[in-house]
Each structure stands twice: as structure tokens, then as C-alpha cells.
Amino acid sequence: MRNSRADQADNRRAELLEATRRIVLERGLANTRVADIAKAVNVSGGLIHYHFATKDELITAMLRATLDIENAALDDVVNAPTAAVARLDRVLHYYIPESRSDQSWLLWLDVWNTALREPAVREIASQVEQTWLYALERVIRDGVAAEEFVCPDPAGAAERIDAMLDGLVIRYTLHPNVLSQERLLEHARMAAAREVGVDPEALSQAGSAASR
């Protein structure tokens, strides 16, 4: 059984990571300071450095914790006991932001921008990308094995779908009058359906049935 001091340290770390996420979403990764985080949780900068030696270590820990949570939710979608066509539609839904102010997407967009200059953040951005590619490829391969899909190159199909979604989501987020969420999903279904050899309407119907 763990001692109370260890539990307290874990709780404090979790509190600092959550505060870091809030401040990053408010100010952006480049403009976040340890002093801002300390103020948000009413502690000293020294206490933060007791748990995280540097700001980069704190930011990286926050991003990894966020990624772990999102990976677990994505795994639930990929491993759901439903047909591959329904899981593919749910993966598309999961990828698309709930709104233009979707906190997860705003964070990862900031990560992509920062990754151009920060190797540690670049590594996490790469892990995010690999997570989505694996999810898409896994569902497509399952569909091929179950003879739901016809796709000679699941890995290539996953890369094309992922790249298309990235571009559409950036457009949707930055240009509110150009692309609606409904149109974004329509494009996503059309592209995914073509890659796996099914009717786009089949994705919509399967996804709706699985969510009931």
C-alpha cells in the first residue's frame, strides 16, 4: 500500500499538469511561463520545480498525460465489438472537433506549430500522428479481413485519410465561414469510403446504428 506522501506528490503533480493545460490553452505554449502556472494554483515556482526540473519537462509531461487520456478513448473506439464500417465512422467522428473552440484540437494545433522549433514537442507531435495512423490502419485491416472493405494498401489509405483530415480540420478551425462541421464530416466520409471501397452512405448509416 502506497504511503500518503507518495499519494500527495501524485495529486500535486496532477494538479500542476491540469493547471499547465489551462494556462497553455489561454496563452499558448510559447507564451506560458512557470510563474503563470504557479499563480494559477497559488504555489511558488520553487514547488513546481521540485516536481518538474524545467518548464520544458512540465510542458512535455502535460502533453503526454493529455495524449494518454485521448489514446485510451481512441482505443475504446478501435476495439469496440462492432462492424469495421461502424468503427471507421466513429474514428472519423472522434477525429473531427466538436466545435471551433474544441480544447483538444486547439492544443494539438499549438503543438504542431511549436514542434517546428522544439524537438521534445516534435516527438510528441509525431506520437499523436502515429496514434491516429495506427487507429485508422487497424480498423481498415479489420474491415478487409472481415470482407467489409476492399483496400489493397491499408497503411497508405490511413496516411491519405489522416492527411486529408488534418487539412480539413485546420481549414474548419481557422476559416469559420468557409467550411461547416457537417460539410467536413461529409468530405471525411467520402474520402474514407473511396479508400475502402464502400458507399459513403454506408459509413453514415453504420455509425448511426452503432451509436444507438
Side-chain angles (χ1 to χ4, degrees), residues 132-134 136-138 140-141 144 151-162 195:
W132 280 105
L133 287 172
Y134 172 78
L136 284 164
E137 183 179 348
R138 161 76 185 281
I140 293 171
R141 288 191 184 279
V144 171
C151 180
D153 181 17
E159 289 178 342
R160 289 186 289 272
I161 294 170
D162 178 66
E195 290 286 357

Short mmCIF file of all heavy atoms in Angstrom, two decimals, residues 132-134 136-138 140-141 144 151-162 195:
data_model
loop_
_atom_site.label_atom_id
_atom_site.label_comp_id
_atom_site.label_asym_id
_atom_site.label_seq_id
_atom_site.Cartn_x
_atom_site.Cartn_y
_atom_site.Cartn_z
N TRP A 132 -2.98 8.11 -34.53
CA TRP A 132 -4.11 8.17 -35.47
C TRP A 132 -3.90 7.25 -36.66
O TRP A 132 -4.84 6.60 -37.12
CB TRP A 132 -4.31 9.61 -35.92
CG TRP A 132 -5.05 10.39 -34.90
CD1 TRP A 132 -4.56 11.32 -34.03
CD2 TRP A 132 -6.45 10.28 -34.59
NE1 TRP A 132 -5.56 11.80 -33.21
CE2 TRP A 132 -6.73 11.17 -33.54
CE3 TRP A 132 -7.49 9.50 -35.11
CZ2 TRP A 132 -8.00 11.32 -32.99
CZ3 TRP A 132 -8.76 9.65 -34.57
CH2 TRP A 132 -9.01 10.54 -33.53
N LEU A 133 -2.69 7.21 -37.17
CA LEU A 133 -2.41 6.33 -38.31
C LEU A 133 -2.66 4.88 -37.92
O LEU A 133 -3.25 4.11 -38.69
CB LEU A 133 -0.97 6.51 -38.78
CG LEU A 133 -0.67 7.81 -39.53
CD1 LEU A 133 0.83 7.94 -39.77
CD2 LEU A 133 -1.42 7.85 -40.85
N TYR A 134 -2.22 4.49 -36.72
CA TYR A 134 -2.44 3.11 -36.27
C TYR A 134 -3.92 2.81 -36.14
O TYR A 134 -4.39 1.74 -36.55
CB TYR A 134 -1.74 2.88 -34.93
CG TYR A 134 -2.10 1.54 -34.32
CD1 TYR A 134 -1.51 0.37 -34.78
CD2 TYR A 134 -3.07 1.45 -33.32
CE1 TYR A 134 -1.86 -0.86 -34.24
CE2 TYR A 134 -3.42 0.22 -32.79
CZ TYR A 134 -2.82 -0.92 -33.25
OH TYR A 134 -3.19 -2.14 -32.72
N LEU A 136 -6.51 4.21 -37.68
CA LEU A 136 -7.14 4.09 -38.99
C LEU A 136 -6.73 2.80 -39.69
O LEU A 136 -7.57 2.07 -40.23
CB LEU A 136 -6.75 5.30 -39.85
CG LEU A 136 -7.46 6.61 -39.52
CD1 LEU A 136 -6.72 7.79 -40.17
CD2 LEU A 136 -8.91 6.57 -39.99
N GLU A 137 -5.43 2.51 -39.67
CA GLU A 137 -4.95 1.30 -40.35
C GLU A 137 -5.53 0.04 -39.71
O GLU A 137 -5.93 -0.90 -40.42
CB GLU A 137 -3.42 1.25 -40.32
CG GLU A 137 -2.86 0.05 -41.08
CD GLU A 137 -1.35 0.01 -41.06
OE1 GLU A 137 -0.72 1.01 -40.66
OE2 GLU A 137 -0.78 -1.05 -41.44
N ARG A 138 -5.59 0.01 -38.38
CA ARG A 138 -6.13 -1.16 -37.69
C ARG A 138 -7.59 -1.43 -38.09
O ARG A 138 -7.97 -2.57 -38.41
CB ARG A 138 -6.03 -0.92 -36.18
CG ARG A 138 -6.92 -1.78 -35.32
CD ARG A 138 -6.44 -3.22 -35.15
NE ARG A 138 -7.44 -3.98 -34.41
CZ ARG A 138 -7.58 -3.92 -33.08
NH1 ARG A 138 -6.77 -3.16 -32.36
NH2 ARG A 138 -8.52 -4.65 -32.47
N ILE A 140 -9.14 -0.39 -40.81
CA ILE A 140 -9.22 -0.75 -42.23
C ILE A 140 -8.80 -2.21 -42.42
O ILE A 140 -9.44 -2.97 -43.16
CB ILE A 140 -8.35 0.19 -43.07
CG1 ILE A 140 -8.94 1.61 -43.05
CG2 ILE A 140 -8.25 -0.32 -44.52
CD1 ILE A 140 -8.03 2.66 -43.66
N ARG A 141 -7.73 -2.62 -41.75
CA ARG A 141 -7.29 -4.02 -41.87
C ARG A 141 -8.36 -4.97 -41.34
O ARG A 141 -8.59 -6.05 -41.92
CB ARG A 141 -5.97 -4.22 -41.11
CG ARG A 141 -4.77 -3.60 -41.79
CD ARG A 141 -3.45 -4.03 -41.18
NE ARG A 141 -2.33 -3.35 -41.78
CZ ARG A 141 -1.78 -3.70 -42.94
NH1 ARG A 141 -2.24 -4.76 -43.59
NH2 ARG A 141 -0.75 -3.03 -43.44
N VAL A 144 -10.96 -5.26 -44.02
CA VAL A 144 -10.51 -6.11 -45.13
C VAL A 144 -10.60 -7.58 -44.74
O VAL A 144 -11.08 -8.42 -45.51
CB VAL A 144 -9.08 -5.73 -45.55
CG1 VAL A 144 -8.53 -6.75 -46.55
CG2 VAL A 144 -9.04 -4.32 -46.15
N CYS A 151 -9.41 -2.95 -49.91
CA CYS A 151 -8.35 -1.95 -49.81
C CYS A 151 -7.00 -2.67 -49.87
O CYS A 151 -6.60 -3.33 -48.91
CB CYS A 151 -8.47 -1.15 -48.51
SG CYS A 151 -7.19 0.10 -48.30
N PRO A 152 -6.29 -2.57 -51.00
CA PRO A 152 -5.01 -3.28 -51.13
C PRO A 152 -3.87 -2.70 -50.31
O PRO A 152 -2.85 -3.35 -50.11
CB PRO A 152 -4.71 -3.17 -52.64
CG PRO A 152 -5.42 -1.93 -53.07
CD PRO A 152 -6.65 -1.85 -52.23
N ASP A 153 -4.03 -1.47 -49.81
CA ASP A 153 -2.95 -0.81 -49.08
C ASP A 153 -3.52 -0.07 -47.87
O ASP A 153 -3.65 1.17 -47.88
CB ASP A 153 -2.23 0.17 -50.02
CG ASP A 153 -1.07 0.89 -49.36
OD1 ASP A 153 -0.62 0.42 -48.29
OD2 ASP A 153 -0.63 1.93 -49.90
N PRO A 154 -3.85 -0.80 -46.79
CA PRO A 154 -4.42 -0.14 -45.61
C PRO A 154 -3.53 0.96 -45.02
O PRO A 154 -4.02 2.00 -44.58
CB PRO A 154 -4.60 -1.29 -44.62
CG PRO A 154 -4.80 -2.49 -45.49
CD PRO A 154 -3.86 -2.26 -46.64
N ALA A 155 -2.21 0.74 -45.00
CA ALA A 155 -1.31 1.74 -44.45
C ALA A 155 -1.35 3.03 -45.27
O ALA A 155 -1.42 4.14 -44.74
CB ALA A 155 0.11 1.20 -44.37
N GLY A 156 -1.30 2.88 -46.58
CA GLY A 156 -1.38 4.05 -47.46
C GLY A 156 -2.71 4.75 -47.35
O GLY A 156 -2.78 5.99 -47.35
N ALA A 157 -3.79 3.98 -47.25
CA ALA A 157 -5.12 4.56 -47.11
C ALA A 157 -5.21 5.36 -45.81
O ALA A 157 -5.77 6.47 -45.78
CB ALA A 157 -6.17 3.46 -47.12
N ALA A 158 -4.66 4.81 -44.74
CA ALA A 158 -4.67 5.51 -43.45
C ALA A 158 -3.91 6.83 -43.55
O ALA A 158 -4.36 7.86 -43.02
CB ALA A 158 -4.05 4.63 -42.37
N GLU A 159 -2.77 6.83 -44.22
CA GLU A 159 -1.98 8.06 -44.37
C GLU A 159 -2.75 9.12 -45.15
O GLU A 159 -2.74 10.30 -44.79
CB GLU A 159 -0.66 7.76 -45.08
CG GLU A 159 0.33 6.98 -44.22
CD GLU A 159 1.61 6.65 -44.97
OE1 GLU A 159 1.60 6.72 -46.22
OE2 GLU A 159 2.61 6.34 -44.31
N ARG A 160 -3.43 8.70 -46.21
CA ARG A 160 -4.18 9.67 -47.02
C ARG A 160 -5.38 10.24 -46.26
O ARG A 160 -5.65 11.44 -46.30
CB ARG A 160 -4.62 9.02 -48.33
CG ARG A 160 -3.47 8.76 -49.30
CD ARG A 160 -3.95 8.24 -50.64
NE ARG A 160 -4.45 6.88 -50.56
CZ ARG A 160 -3.69 5.79 -50.70
NH1 ARG A 160 -2.39 5.91 -50.87
NH2 ARG A 160 -4.23 4.58 -50.63
N ILE A 161 -6.10 9.37 -45.56
CA ILE A 161 -7.24 9.84 -44.78
C ILE A 161 -6.78 10.79 -43.68
O ILE A 161 -7.38 11.85 -43.45
CB ILE A 161 -8.01 8.65 -44.16
CG1 ILE A 161 -8.65 7.80 -45.27
CG2 ILE A 161 -9.09 9.14 -43.19
CD1 ILE A 161 -9.21 6.47 -44.77
N ASP A 162 -5.71 10.42 -42.99
CA ASP A 162 -5.19 11.25 -41.90
C ASP A 162 -4.76 12.62 -42.41
O ASP A 162 -5.09 13.66 -41.81
CB ASP A 162 -4.01 10.52 -41.25
CG ASP A 162 -3.38 11.32 -40.13
OD1 ASP A 162 -4.05 11.52 -39.11
OD2 ASP A 162 -2.23 11.75 -40.29
N GLU A 195 -11.52 5.07 -50.16
CA GLU A 195 -10.31 4.31 -49.84
C GLU A 195 -10.61 2.85 -49.53
O GLU A 195 -9.78 1.98 -49.80
CB GLU A 195 -9.59 4.94 -48.64
CG GLU A 195 -8.93 6.29 -48.93
CD GLU A 195 -7.66 6.15 -49.76
OE1 GLU A 195 -7.24 5.02 -50.06
OE2 GLU A 195 -7.09 7.21 -50.09
#
